[in-house]
Amino acid sequence: MLAFVKCFSLKRTKHPPGYEDPHVLASETPFTVNEIEALHNLFKKLSTSIIDDGLIHKEEFLLALFRKSSMQNLFADRVFYMFDRKRNGVIEFGEFVRSLSIFHPHTPEHEKSSFMFKLYDLHGTGFIQADELKKMVGALLSETDLELSEESIKAIVEQTMIEVDTNKDGKIDEEEWKELVAKNPSILKNMTLPYLKEVTLAFPSFVLDSEVDD
């Protein structure tokens, strides 16, 4: 009997560090078990694109999102930071699913708003200050074809602070941020990825479909 138990245990699937049961993740996110299993296939593809260790390193994350494994961009750094919940420099499977769930169409808007607030709160103080807002606006603009002068960005930040900082303490707290989002729901437009409603084994086709750019 003991030999049978040992034989059975040897045949158990060995999962990499950070792997979590799809049923547990499905109970905590909008994804179904089948969708999480499909996401695991995607995760395996991402986590072996450069370093084959079952974890998503920053270079692999950048390759998937921006087609480049090495780049300097505050926005990219912040997104990776938000996915890396354990702050250990890599993204584990559980972190990947939970963070990606924020972008699911069925995730409540207040959770999306909170995620975005933390994205802009560069210093982790619970507030967004003018310098943090300016840095993030600049980082986001660098990912578009829109070019604005330093003076224009400064003017945008100053006007935003005037309108959003209602208690005039020189920073934006989460309540003021919620009011901003309520008045301008389009702010959360990029926080929803419609195709996450139908995750399949082929999801998503755009990931890693090009060569690595150094």
Side-chain angles (χ1 to χ4, degrees):
M1 184 66 178
L2 181 60
F4 174 78
V5 172
K6 288 183 177 180
C7 180
F8 178 76
S9 64
L10 288 174
K11 292 182 179 180
R12 293 177 62 186
T13 302
K14 184 178 180 181
H15 294 295
Y19 177 83
E20 294 186 42
D21 187 287
H23 291 83
V24 174
L25 292 171
S27 70
E28 299 177 3
T29 68
F31 295 116
T32 66
V33 171
N34 287 341
E35 288 172 336
I36 289 172
E37 289 174 345
L39 285 175
H40 188 239
N41 285 340
L42 169 62
F43 181 85
K44 287 190 292 186
K45 186 175 182 181
L46 297 179
S47 64
T48 58
S49 60
I50 297 177
I51 304 172
D52 189 0
D53 62 356
L55 300 166
I56 297 178
H57 294 254
K58 189 173 182 180
E59 296 85 354
E60 294 167 323
F61 191 75
L62 294 177
L63 175 62
L65 290 184
F66 303 99
R67 302 294 192 275
K68 294 182 180 180
S69 61
S70 60
M71 64 177 292
Q72 295 295 321
N73 182 278
L74 177 61
F75 176 69
D77 289 344
R78 290 300 295 168
V79 174
F80 182 84
Y81 176 84
M82 295 295 290
F83 271 65
D84 176 20
R85 297 185 175 202
K86 292 183 179 180
R87 307 292 183 252
N88 58 357
V90 293
I91 300 172
E92 300 175 356
F93 179 58
E95 294 175 312
F96 179 72
V97 173
R98 289 189 176 88
S99 297
L100 199 58
S101 72
I102 292 294
F103 299 87
H104 194 286
H106 293 164
T107 297
E109 287 196 354
H110 70 86
E111 292 184 24
K112 296 176 185 290
S113 175
S114 179
F115 183 94
M116 197 169 185
F117 178 83
K118 292 173 183 176
L119 194 69
Y120 278 73
D121 179 15
L122 303 181
H123 304 309
T125 59
F127 302 95
I128 300 174
Q129 302 194 46
D131 67 312
E132 295 172 309
L133 186 58
K134 182 181 178 183
K135 289 176 181 177
M136 283 299 291
V137 170
L140 289 168
L141 286 174
S142 70
E143 293 303 311
T144 70
D145 295 327
L146 183 61
E147 294 185 9
L148 293 179
S149 65
E150 191 73 15
E151 291 74 18
S152 296
I153 295 176
K154 183 179 178 181
I156 291 172
V157 170
E158 290 178 348
Q159 186 60 35
T160 300
M161 294 299 296
I162 291 172
E163 295 177 2
V164 181
D165 179 22
T166 54
N167 63 8
K168 307 305 178 186
D169 62 353
K171 53 194 176 185
I172 300 171
D173 60 36
E174 194 155 3
E175 286 305 312
E176 291 170 328
W177 177 264
K178 289 178 182 177
E179 291 178 14
L180 171 65
V181 171
K183 294 176 182 177
N184 305 274
S186 61
I187 290 175
L188 297 182
K189 182 179 179 180
N190 292 332
M191 292 298 297
T192 297
L193 303 177
Y195 47 73
L196 287 183
K197 291 175 68 175
E198 297 180 359
V199 179
T200 68
L201 292 179
F203 165 83
S205 61
F206 63 82
V207 174
L208 297 183
D209 60 359
S210 62
E211 297 293 327
V212 177
D213 295 324
D214 294 323

